[in-house]
Amino acid sequence: FYNLSYYLDNPIEIILPIRITDYVLRFAGFYGMSYFGAVLGIFFVAWIFSKKRRVDIFNISDFVLPAVPLGYFFGRIGNFLNGELYGRATEGRWGMYFSDGQLRHPSQFYEAFFEGIVLFFILWSLRNKLSDKKGALTGIYLAGYGLFRFFIEFFREPDKQLGFILGFLTLGQIFAIFLFFIGAFIVRK
């Protein structure tokens, strides 16, 4: 989603952690994986699995999703340690210096806290209370992640290749809005 034209021109780099430059192989890591692309991929695989096994997809997602935000917590701490996905420039005392030498919001910590810890506790505390309402935890997860991500994106540096859309929103915020409404729809269902 975030650099589609590059990956359409270099599709092997989606799954191959090396780059070939001047006929030399160099380890580059796995890039181009966004949260929103992963959600679509996981949904597609879960849907196929649920059809093949004749299990309701919400039975699977409601069982698995309460624990998923803990993975975000550790992933965002990893982003911080790697000095990636940092925040916008700030004058605040809580700012940190990253590779560009500019004082920035440590948005990885904001995401680790809200998308990881807070969302985990919300879902974990509701898992038994909503066990009879199929899809409720899935909807709360999607709406909660969308809500937190939308607001935290105001502190996160937009991707260089995309910048702002409509002058003030990031692509992540646009996807987060859709995720929020999909989750709200599922909860109301």
Coordinates of all heavy atoms in Angstrom, one line a residue, residues 90-179:
T90 N 9.1 17.9 16.9 CA 8.5 18.5 18.1 C 9.4 19.5 18.8 O 10.7 19.4 18.7 CB 8.0 17.4 19.0 OG1 7.3 18.1 20.1 CG2 9.1 16.6 19.6
E91 N 8.9 20.3 19.6 CA 9.6 21.2 20.5 C 9.5 20.7 21.9 O 10.1 21.3 22.8 CB 9.1 22.7 20.4 CG 9.3 23.3 19.0 CD 10.7 23.5 18.6 OE1 11.5 23.9 19.5 OE2 11.0 23.4 17.4
G92 N 8.7 19.7 22.1 CA 8.4 19.2 23.5 C 9.6 18.5 24.1 O 10.5 18.0 23.5
R93 N 9.6 18.6 25.4 CA 10.7 18.0 26.2 C 10.8 16.4 26.1 O 11.8 15.8 26.4 CB 10.6 18.3 27.7 CG 10.9 19.8 27.9 CD 10.8 20.1 29.4 NE 9.4 20.1 29.7 CZ 8.9 20.3 30.9 NH1 9.7 20.5 31.9 NH2 7.6 20.3 31.2
W94 N 9.7 15.8 25.6 CA 9.6 14.4 25.5 C 10.1 13.9 24.2 O 10.2 12.7 23.9 CB 8.2 13.9 25.7 CG 7.2 14.6 24.7 CD1 7.0 14.3 23.4 CD2 6.5 15.8 24.9 NE1 6.1 15.2 22.8 CE2 5.8 16.1 23.8 CE3 6.4 16.7 26.0 CZ2 5.0 17.3 23.6 CZ3 5.6 17.8 25.9 CH2 4.9 18.1 24.7
G95 N 10.5 14.9 23.3 CA 11.1 14.5 22.0 C 12.4 13.8 22.1 O 13.1 13.8 23.1
M96 N 12.7 13.0 21.1 CA 14.0 12.3 21.0 C 14.6 12.5 19.7 O 14.0 12.9 18.7 CB 13.6 10.8 21.2 CG 12.9 10.4 22.5 SD 12.7 8.7 22.7 CE 14.3 8.2 23.2
Y97 N 16.0 12.3 19.7 CA 16.7 12.5 18.5 C 16.8 11.1 17.8 O 17.2 10.1 18.4 CB 18.1 13.0 18.8 CG 18.1 14.5 19.2 CD1 18.2 14.8 20.5 CD2 17.9 15.5 18.3 CE1 18.1 16.1 20.9 CE2 17.8 16.8 18.7 CZ 17.9 17.1 20.0 OH 17.9 18.4 20.4
F98 N 16.5 11.1 16.5 CA 16.7 9.9 15.7 C 17.8 10.2 14.6 O 18.6 11.1 14.8 CB 15.4 9.5 15.0 CG 14.4 9.0 16.0 CD1 13.5 9.9 16.6 CD2 14.3 7.7 16.4 CE1 12.5 9.4 17.6 CE2 13.4 7.2 17.3 CZ 12.6 8.0 17.9
S99 N 17.9 9.4 13.6 CA 19.0 9.4 12.7 C 19.2 10.7 12.0 O 20.3 11.1 11.5 CB 18.9 8.3 11.7 OG 17.7 8.4 10.9
D100 N 18.1 11.5 11.8 CA 18.3 12.8 11.1 C 18.7 14.0 12.0 O 18.8 15.1 11.5 CB 16.9 13.1 10.4 CG 15.8 13.4 11.3 OD1 15.9 13.2 12.5 OD2 14.7 13.8 10.8
G101 N 18.9 13.7 13.3 CA 19.3 14.7 14.2 C 18.3 15.8 14.6 O 18.6 16.8 15.2
Q102 N 17.0 15.5 14.3 CA 16.0 16.4 14.6 C 15.2 15.9 15.8 O 15.0 14.6 15.9 CB 15.0 16.6 13.4 CG 14.1 17.7 13.6 CD 13.4 18.0 12.2 OE1 13.5 17.3 11.3 NE2 12.7 19.1 12.2
L103 N 14.7 16.7 16.7 CA 13.9 16.3 17.9 C 12.6 15.9 17.4 O 11.9 16.7 16.7 CB 13.8 17.5 18.9 CG 13.3 17.2 20.3 CD1 14.3 16.2 21.0 CD2 13.2 18.5 21.1
R104 N 12.2 14.7 17.7 CA 10.9 14.1 17.2 C 10.1 13.4 18.2 O 10.7 13.0 19.2 CB 11.2 13.1 16.0 CG 11.9 13.7 14.9 CD 12.1 12.7 13.7 NE 12.5 13.4 12.5 CZ 11.7 14.0 11.7 NH1 10.4 14.0 11.9 NH2 12.2 14.6 10.6
H105 N 8.8 13.3 18.0 CA 7.9 12.5 18.9 C 8.4 11.0 18.8 O 8.6 10.5 17.7 CB 6.5 12.6 18.4 CG 5.8 13.8 18.7 ND1 5.3 14.1 19.9 CD2 5.5 14.9 17.9 CE1 4.7 15.2 19.9 NE2 4.8 15.8 18.7
P106 N 8.5 10.4 20.0 CA 8.7 8.9 19.9 C 7.4 8.2 19.7 O 6.9 7.5 20.6 CB 9.3 8.7 21.3 CG 8.7 9.7 22.2 CD 8.5 10.9 21.3
S107 N 6.9 8.3 18.5 CA 5.6 7.8 18.2 C 5.5 6.3 18.3 O 4.4 5.7 18.5 CB 5.1 8.2 16.8 OG 6.0 7.8 15.8
Q108 N 6.6 5.6 18.2 CA 6.6 4.2 18.4 C 6.1 3.8 19.8 O 5.4 2.8 20.0 CB 8.0 3.6 18.2 CG 8.7 4.0 17.0 CD 9.7 5.2 17.2 OE1 9.4 6.1 18.0 NE2 10.8 5.1 16.5
F109 N 6.5 4.7 20.8 CA 6.0 4.4 22.2 C 4.5 4.7 22.3 O 3.8 4.0 23.0 CB 6.8 5.3 23.2 CG 8.2 4.8 23.4 CD1 9.2 5.8 23.7 CD2 8.6 3.5 23.4 CE1 10.5 5.4 23.9 CE2 9.9 3.1 23.6 CZ 10.9 4.0 23.9
Y110 N 4.1 5.7 21.6 CA 2.6 6.0 21.7 C 1.9 4.9 21.1 O 0.8 4.4 21.7 CB 2.3 7.3 20.9 CG 3.1 8.5 21.1 CD1 3.1 9.6 20.2 CD2 3.8 8.7 22.3 CE1 3.8 10.8 20.5 CE2 4.5 9.9 22.6 CZ 4.5 10.9 21.6 OH 5.2 12.1 21.9
E111 N 2.3 4.3 20.0 CA 1.7 3.2 19.4 C 1.8 1.9 20.2 O 0.8 1.2 20.4 CB 2.2 2.9 18.0 CG 1.9 4.0 17.0 CD 2.3 3.7 15.6 OE1 3.5 4.0 15.3 OE2 1.5 3.2 14.8
A112 N 3.0 1.7 20.8 CA 3.1 0.5 21.7 C 2.1 0.6 22.8 O 1.5 -0.4 23.2 CB 4.6 0.5 22.2
F113 N 1.9 1.8 23.4 CA 1.1 1.9 24.6 C -0.4 1.8 24.2 O -1.1 1.0 24.7 CB 1.3 3.3 25.3 CG 0.4 3.5 26.5 CD1 0.6 2.7 27.6 CD2 -0.7 4.4 26.4 CE1 -0.2 2.9 28.7 CE2 -1.5 4.5 27.5 CZ -1.3 3.8 28.7
F114 N -0.9 2.6 23.2 CA -2.3 2.6 22.8 C -2.7 1.4 22.0 O -3.7 0.7 22.3 CB -2.7 3.9 22.1 CG -2.7 5.0 23.1 CD1 -1.7 6.0 23.1 CD2 -3.8 5.2 24.0 CE1 -1.8 7.0 23.9 CE2 -3.8 6.2 24.8 CZ -2.8 7.2 24.8
E115 N -2.0 1.1 20.9 CA -2.4 0.0 20.0 C -2.0 -1.4 20.7 O -2.5 -2.4 20.3 CB -1.7 0.1 18.7 CG -2.1 1.3 17.9 CD -1.2 1.6 16.8 OE1 -0.3 0.8 16.4 OE2 -1.3 2.7 16.1
G116 N -1.0 -1.3 21.6 CA -0.6 -2.6 22.2 C -1.2 -2.8 23.6 O -2.1 -3.6 23.7
I117 N -0.8 -2.0 24.6 CA -1.2 -2.2 25.9 C -2.7 -1.9 26.2 O -3.5 -2.7 26.7 CB -0.4 -1.4 26.9 CG1 1.1 -1.8 26.8 CG2 -0.8 -1.6 28.4 CD1 1.4 -3.2 27.1
V118 N -3.1 -0.7 25.8 CA -4.5 -0.3 26.0 C -5.5 -1.2 25.3 O -6.5 -1.7 25.9 CB -4.7 1.2 25.7 CG1 -6.2 1.6 25.8 CG2 -3.9 2.1 26.6
L119 N -5.3 -1.4 24.0 CA -6.2 -2.2 23.2 C -6.2 -3.7 23.8 O -7.2 -4.3 23.8 CB -5.8 -2.2 21.7 CG -6.8 -2.9 20.8 CD1 -8.2 -2.3 20.9 CD2 -6.3 -2.8 19.3
F120 N -5.0 -4.2 24.2 CA -5.0 -5.5 24.8 C -5.9 -5.6 26.0 O -6.7 -6.5 26.2 CB -3.6 -5.9 25.2 CG -3.5 -7.1 26.0 CD1 -3.7 -8.4 25.5 CD2 -3.3 -7.0 27.4 CE1 -3.6 -9.5 26.3 CE2 -3.2 -8.1 28.2 CZ -3.4 -9.4 27.7
F121 N -5.8 -4.6 26.9 CA -6.6 -4.7 28.1 C -8.1 -4.5 27.9 O -8.9 -5.1 28.5 CB -6.1 -3.6 29.2 CG -4.9 -4.1 29.9 CD1 -3.7 -3.5 29.8 CD2 -5.0 -5.2 30.8 CE1 -2.5 -4.0 30.5 CE2 -3.9 -5.7 31.5 CZ -2.7 -5.0 31.3
I122 N -8.4 -3.7 26.9 CA -9.8 -3.5 26.5 C -10.4 -4.9 26.0 O -11.4 -5.4 26.5 CB -10.0 -2.5 25.4 CG1 -9.8 -1.1 26.0 CG2 -11.4 -2.5 24.8 CD1 -9.7 0.0 25.0
L123 N -9.7 -5.5 25.1 CA -10.2 -6.8 24.5 C -10.1 -7.9 25.6 O -11.1 -8.7 25.6 CB -9.3 -7.1 23.3 CG -9.5 -6.2 22.1 CD1 -8.4 -6.6 21.0 CD2 -10.9 -6.3 21.5
W124 N -9.1 -7.9 26.3 CA -8.9 -9.0 27.3 C -10.0 -8.9 28.4 O -10.5 -9.9 28.8 CB -7.5 -9.0 27.9 CG -7.2 -10.3 28.6 CD1 -7.1 -10.6 29.9 CD2 -6.8 -11.5 27.9 NE1 -6.7 -11.9 30.1 CE2 -6.5 -12.5 28.8 CE3 -6.6 -11.8 26.5 CZ2 -6.1 -13.8 28.5 CZ3 -6.2 -13.1 26.2 CH2 -6.0 -14.1 27.2
S125 N -10.3 -7.7 28.8 CA -11.4 -7.5 29.8 C -12.8 -7.9 29.3 O -13.7 -8.2 30.1 CB -11.3 -6.1 30.4 OG -11.7 -5.2 29.4
L126 N -13.0 -7.7 28.0 CA -14.3 -8.0 27.4 C -14.5 -9.4 26.8 O -15.6 -9.8 26.5 CB -14.6 -7.0 26.3 CG -14.7 -5.5 26.7 CD1 -14.8 -4.6 25.4 CD2 -15.9 -5.3 27.6
R127 N -13.4 -10.2 26.8 CA -13.5 -11.5 26.0 C -14.5 -12.4 26.6 O -15.2 -13.1 25.9 CB -12.1 -12.1 25.9 CG -11.6 -12.7 27.2 CD -10.2 -13.2 27.1 NE -9.8 -14.0 28.2 CZ -9.6 -13.6 29.4 NH1 -9.8 -12.3 29.7 NH2 -9.3 -14.4 30.4
N128 N -14.7 -12.5 27.9 CA -15.7 -13.4 28.5 C -17.1 -12.8 28.5 O -18.0 -13.5 28.4 CB -15.3 -13.8 30.0 CG -14.0 -14.7 30.0 OD1 -13.8 -15.4 29.0 ND2 -13.2 -14.6 31.0
K129 N -17.1 -11.5 28.7 CA -18.4 -10.8 28.7 C -19.1 -10.8 27.4 O -20.3 -10.8 27.3 CB -18.2 -9.3 29.2 CG -17.7 -9.2 30.6 CD -17.4 -7.8 30.9 CE -16.8 -7.7 32.3 NZ -16.0 -6.5 32.5
L130 N -18.4 -10.8 26.3 CA -18.9 -10.8 25.0 C -18.9 -12.1 24.2 O -19.0 -12.2 23.0 CB -18.3 -9.7 24.1 CG -18.4 -8.3 24.6 CD1 -17.6 -7.3 23.8 CD2 -19.8 -7.9 24.7
S131 N -18.6 -13.2 25.0 CA -18.4 -14.5 24.3 C -19.7 -15.0 23.6 O -19.6 -15.8 22.6 CB -17.9 -15.6 25.3 OG -18.9 -15.7 26.3
D132 N -20.8 -14.5 24.0 CA -22.1 -15.0 23.3 C -22.4 -14.0 22.1 O -23.4 -14.4 21.4 CB -23.2 -15.0 24.3 CG -23.5 -13.7 24.9 OD1 -22.6 -12.9 25.1 OD2 -24.7 -13.4 25.3
K133 N -21.7 -13.0 21.9 CA -22.0 -12.0 20.8 C -21.0 -12.2 19.8 O -19.9 -11.6 19.8 CB -22.1 -10.6 21.3 CG -22.6 -9.6 20.3 CD -22.9 -8.3 20.9 CE -23.5 -7.2 20.0 NZ -23.4 -7.3 18.7
K134 N -21.2 -13.1 18.8 CA -20.3 -13.4 17.8 C -19.9 -12.2 17.0 O -20.7 -11.4 16.5 CB -20.9 -14.5 16.8 CG -19.9 -15.1 15.9 CD -20.6 -16.1 15.0 CE -21.1 -17.3 15.8 NZ -21.6 -18.3 15.0
G135 N -18.5 -12.0 16.9 CA -18.0 -10.9 16.1 C -17.8 -9.6 16.9 O -17.1 -8.7 16.4
A136 N -18.3 -9.5 18.1 CA -18.1 -8.3 18.9 C -16.7 -8.0 19.1 O -16.3 -6.8 19.0 CB -18.9 -8.4 20.2
L137 N -15.9 -8.9 19.6 CA -14.5 -8.7 19.9 C -13.7 -8.3 18.6 O -12.9 -7.4 18.6 CB -13.8 -9.9 20.5 CG -14.1 -10.1 22.0 CD1 -13.5 -11.3 22.5 CD2 -13.7 -8.9 22.8
T138 N -14.1 -8.9 17.5 CA -13.4 -8.6 16.2 C -13.8 -7.1 15.8 O -12.9 -6.4 15.5 CB -13.9 -9.5 15.1 OG1 -13.6 -10.9 15.5 CG2 -13.3 -9.2 13.8
G139 N -15.0 -6.8 16.0 CA -15.4 -5.4 15.7 C -14.7 -4.4 16.6 O -14.3 -3.3 16.1
I140 N -14.7 -4.7 17.9 CA -14.0 -3.8 18.8 C -12.5 -3.7 18.5 O -12.0 -2.6 18.6 CB -14.3 -4.2 20.3 CG1 -15.8 -4.1 20.6 CG2 -13.4 -3.5 21.3 CD1 -16.2 -4.7 21.9
Y141 N -11.9 -4.8 18.2 CA -10.5 -4.8 17.8 C -10.3 -3.8 16.6 O -9.4 -3.0 16.6 CB -10.0 -6.2 17.5 CG -8.7 -6.2 16.7 CD1 -7.5 -6.0 17.3 CD2 -8.7 -6.3 15.3 CE1 -6.3 -6.0 16.6 CE2 -7.6 -6.3 14.6 CZ -6.4 -6.2 15.3 OH -5.2 -6.1 14.5
L142 N -11.1 -4.0 15.5 CA -10.9 -3.2 14.3 C -11.2 -1.7 14.6 O -10.4 -0.9 14.2 CB -11.8 -3.7 13.2 CG -11.5 -5.1 12.7 CD1 -12.6 -5.6 11.7 CD2 -10.1 -5.2 12.0
A143 N -12.3 -1.5 15.3 CA -12.6 -0.1 15.6 C -11.6 0.6 16.5 O -11.2 1.7 16.3 CB -14.0 0.0 16.2
G144 N -11.2 -0.2 17.5 CA -10.2 0.3 18.5 C -8.9 0.6 17.8 O -8.3 1.7 18.0
Y145 N -8.4 -0.3 17.0 CA -7.1 -0.1 16.4 C -7.2 1.1 15.4 O -6.4 1.9 15.4 CB -6.6 -1.4 15.6 CG -5.3 -1.1 15.0 CD1 -4.1 -1.4 15.7 CD2 -5.2 -0.5 13.7 CE1 -2.9 -1.2 15.1 CE2 -3.9 -0.3 13.2 CZ -2.8 -0.6 13.9 OH -1.6 -0.3 13.3
G146 N -8.3 1.1 14.6 CA -8.5 2.2 13.7 C -8.5 3.6 14.4 O -7.9 4.6 14.0
L147 N -9.2 3.6 15.6 CA -9.3 4.9 16.3 C -8.0 5.3 16.8 O -7.5 6.5 16.7 CB -10.3 4.7 17.5 CG -10.6 5.9 18.3 CD1 -11.4 7.0 17.5 CD2 -11.3 5.5 19.6
F148 N -7.3 4.4 17.5 CA -5.9 4.7 18.0 C -5.0 5.1 16.9 O -4.2 6.1 17.0 CB -5.4 3.6 18.9 CG -6.1 3.3 20.1 CD1 -6.3 2.0 20.6 CD2 -6.5 4.4 20.9 CE1 -6.9 1.8 21.8 CE2 -7.2 4.2 22.1 CZ -7.4 2.9 22.6
R149 N -4.9 4.3 15.9 CA -4.0 4.6 14.8 C -4.3 6.0 14.1 O -3.4 6.7 13.8 CB -4.1 3.5 13.7 CG -3.2 3.6 12.5 CD -1.7 3.5 12.9 NE -0.9 3.7 11.7 CZ -0.4 2.7 10.9 NH1 -0.7 1.4 11.2 NH2 0.3 2.9 9.9
F150 N -5.6 6.3 13.9 CA -5.9 7.6 13.3 C -5.3 8.7 14.1 O -4.7 9.6 13.5 CB -7.4 7.7 13.3 CG -7.9 9.1 12.7 CD1 -7.9 9.2 11.3 CD2 -8.2 10.1 13.5 CE1 -8.3 10.5 10.7 CE2 -8.6 11.3 13.0 CZ -8.6 11.5 11.6
F151 N -5.5 8.7 15.4 CA -5.0 9.9 16.2 C -3.5 9.8 16.4 O -2.8 10.9 16.4 CB -5.7 9.9 17.6 CG -7.1 10.4 17.5 CD1 -8.2 9.5 17.6 CD2 -7.4 11.7 17.1 CE1 -9.5 10.0 17.5 CE2 -8.7 12.2 17.0 CZ -9.7 11.3 17.2
I152 N -2.9 8.7 16.5 CA -1.4 8.6 16.7 C -0.7 9.0 15.4 O 0.4 9.6 15.4 CB -1.0 7.2 17.1 CG1 -1.5 7.0 18.6 CG2 0.5 7.0 17.1 CD1 -1.4 5.5 19.0
E153 N -1.3 8.8 14.3 CA -0.8 9.3 13.0 C -0.5 10.8 12.9 O 0.3 11.2 12.2 CB -1.6 8.9 11.8 CG -1.5 7.4 11.4 CD -0.4 7.1 10.5 OE1 0.0 7.9 9.7 OE2 0.2 6.0 10.6
F154 N -1.2 11.6 13.8 CA -0.9 13.0 13.8 C 0.5 13.3 14.4 O 1.0 14.4 14.3 CB -2.0 13.7 14.6 CG -3.3 13.9 13.9 CD1 -4.4 13.3 14.3 CD2 -3.4 14.7 12.8 CE1 -5.6 13.4 13.7 CE2 -4.6 14.9 12.1 CZ -5.7 14.3 12.5
F155 N 1.0 12.3 15.1 CA 2.3 12.5 15.7 C 3.4 11.7 15.0 O 4.6 11.8 15.3 CB 2.3 12.0 17.2 CG 1.4 12.7 18.0 CD1 0.1 12.2 18.3 CD2 1.7 14.0 18.5 CE1 -0.8 12.9 19.1 CE2 0.8 14.7 19.3 CZ -0.5 14.2 19.6
R156 N 3.0 10.9 14.0 CA 4.0 10.0 13.3 C 4.4 10.7 12.0 O 3.5 11.3 11.3 CB 3.3 8.7 13.0 CG 4.2 7.7 12.4 CD 3.4 6.3 12.4 NE 4.0 5.4 11.4 CZ 3.6 4.2 11.2 NH1 2.6 3.7 11.9 NH2 4.1 3.4 10.3
E157 N 5.6 10.6 11.6 CA 6.1 11.2 10.4 C 5.5 10.4 9.2 O 5.6 9.2 9.1 CB 7.6 11.1 10.3 CG 8.3 11.7 9.1 CD 8.2 13.2 9.1 OE1 8.0 13.8 10.2 OE2 8.4 13.8 8.0
P158 N 4.9 11.1 8.2 CA 4.3 10.4 7.1 C 5.4 9.8 6.2 O 6.6 10.2 6.2 CB 3.6 11.5 6.3 CG 3.6 12.7 7.2 CD 4.7 12.6 8.2
D159 N 5.0 8.8 5.5 CA 6.0 8.1 4.6 C 6.5 9.1 3.5 O 5.6 9.8 2.9 CB 5.3 6.9 4.0 CG 5.1 5.8 5.0 OD1 6.0 5.1 5.4 OD2 3.9 5.7 5.4
K160 N 7.8 9.1 3.3 CA 8.3 10.1 2.4 C 7.8 10.0 1.0 O 7.5 11.0 0.3 CB 9.9 10.0 2.3 CG 10.5 10.4 3.6 CD 12.0 10.1 3.5 CE 12.6 10.4 4.9 NZ 14.0 10.0 5.0
Q161 N 7.6 8.8 0.5 CA 7.1 8.6 -0.9 C 5.6 9.0 -1.0 O 5.2 9.2 -2.1 CB 7.3 7.2 -1.4 CG 6.4 6.2 -0.8 CD 6.9 5.6 0.6 OE1 7.8 6.2 1.2 NE2 6.3 4.5 1.0
L162 N 4.9 9.2 0.1 CA 3.5 9.5 0.0 C 3.1 10.9 0.5 O 2.3 11.6 0.0 CB 2.6 8.5 0.8 CG 2.7 7.1 0.2 CD1 1.9 6.2 1.2 CD2 2.0 7.0 -1.1
G163 N 3.7 11.3 1.6 CA 3.4 12.6 2.3 C 2.0 12.6 2.8 O 1.5 11.6 3.2
F164 N 1.4 13.8 2.6 CA 0.0 13.9 3.1 C -1.0 13.8 1.9 O -0.7 14.1 0.8 CB -0.2 15.3 3.7 CG 0.6 15.5 5.0 CD1 1.8 16.1 5.0 CD2 0.0 15.0 6.2 CE1 2.5 16.2 6.2 CE2 0.7 15.1 7.4 CZ 1.9 15.7 7.4
I165 N -2.2 13.3 2.3 CA -3.2 13.1 1.3 C -4.3 14.1 1.7 O -4.7 14.2 2.9 CB -3.7 11.7 1.2 CG1 -2.5 10.8 0.8 CG2 -4.9 11.5 0.3 CD1 -2.8 9.3 0.9
L166 N -4.9 14.8 0.8 CA -5.9 15.8 1.0 C -5.3 16.9 1.9 O -6.1 17.6 2.6 CB -7.2 15.2 1.7 CG -7.9 14.1 1.0 CD1 -9.0 13.5 1.9 CD2 -8.4 14.5 -0.3
G167 N -4.0 17.1 1.9 CA -3.4 18.2 2.6 C -3.1 18.0 4.0 O -2.2 18.6 4.5
F168 N -3.8 17.1 4.7 CA -3.5 16.9 6.1 C -3.6 15.5 6.7 O -3.3 15.2 7.8 CB -4.5 17.8 6.9 CG -5.9 17.4 6.8 CD1 -6.5 16.7 7.8 CD2 -6.7 17.8 5.7 CE1 -7.9 16.3 7.6 CE2 -8.0 17.5 5.6 CZ -8.6 16.7 6.5
L169 N -4.1 14.6 5.9 CA -4.2 13.2 6.3 C -3.1 12.3 5.7 O -2.6 12.6 4.6 CB -5.6 12.6 5.9 CG -6.8 13.2 6.5 CD1 -8.1 12.5 5.9 CD2 -6.8 12.9 8.0
T170 N -2.7 11.3 6.4 CA -1.8 10.3 5.9 C -2.6 9.1 5.3 O -3.8 9.0 5.7 CB -0.8 9.8 7.0 OG1 -1.6 9.1 8.0 CG2 -0.1 11.0 7.6
L171 N -1.9 8.3 4.5 CA -2.6 7.1 4.0 C -3.0 6.2 5.2 O -4.1 5.6 5.2 CB -1.7 6.4 3.1 CG -2.3 5.2 2.3 CD1 -3.5 5.6 1.5 CD2 -1.3 4.5 1.4
G172 N -2.2 6.2 6.2 CA -2.5 5.4 7.4 C -3.8 5.9 8.1 O -4.6 5.1 8.5
Q173 N -4.0 7.2 8.1 CA -5.3 7.7 8.7 C -6.5 7.3 7.8 O -7.5 7.0 8.4 CB -5.2 9.2 8.8 CG -4.2 9.6 10.0 CD -4.0 11.1 10.1 OE1 -3.7 11.7 9.1 NE2 -4.3 11.6 11.3
I174 N -6.3 7.4 6.5 CA -7.4 7.0 5.6 C -7.8 5.6 5.8 O -9.0 5.2 6.0 CB -7.1 7.4 4.2 CG1 -7.0 8.9 4.0 CG2 -8.1 6.8 3.2 CD1 -6.5 9.4 2.7
F175 N -6.8 4.7 5.9 CA -7.1 3.3 6.1 C -7.7 3.1 7.5 O -8.5 2.2 7.7 CB -5.8 2.4 6.0 CG -5.3 2.3 4.6 CD1 -3.9 2.2 4.3 CD2 -6.2 2.2 3.5 CE1 -3.5 2.0 3.0 CE2 -5.7 2.1 2.2 CZ -4.4 1.9 2.0
A176 N -7.2 3.8 8.5 CA -7.7 3.7 9.9 C -9.2 4.1 9.9 O -9.9 3.5 10.7 CB -6.9 4.6 10.8
I177 N -9.6 5.1 9.2 CA -11.0 5.5 9.1 C -11.8 4.3 8.6 O -12.9 4.0 9.2 CB -11.2 6.7 8.3 CG1 -10.6 8.0 9.0 CG2 -12.7 7.0 8.0 CD1 -10.5 9.2 8.1
F178 N -11.4 3.7 7.5 CA -12.1 2.5 7.0 C -12.2 1.4 8.0 O -13.2 0.8 8.2 CB -11.5 2.0 5.7 CG -11.8 2.9 4.5 CD1 -10.8 3.6 3.9 CD2 -13.1 3.0 4.0 CE1 -11.0 4.4 2.8 CE2 -13.4 3.8 3.0 CZ -12.3 4.5 2.3
L179 N -11.0 1.1 8.7 CA -11.0 0.1 9.7 C -12.0 0.4 10.8 O -12.7 -0.5 11.3 CB -9.6 -0.1 10.2 CG -9.1 -1.4 10.7 CD1 -9.2 -2.5 9.6 CD2 -7.7 -1.3 11.2

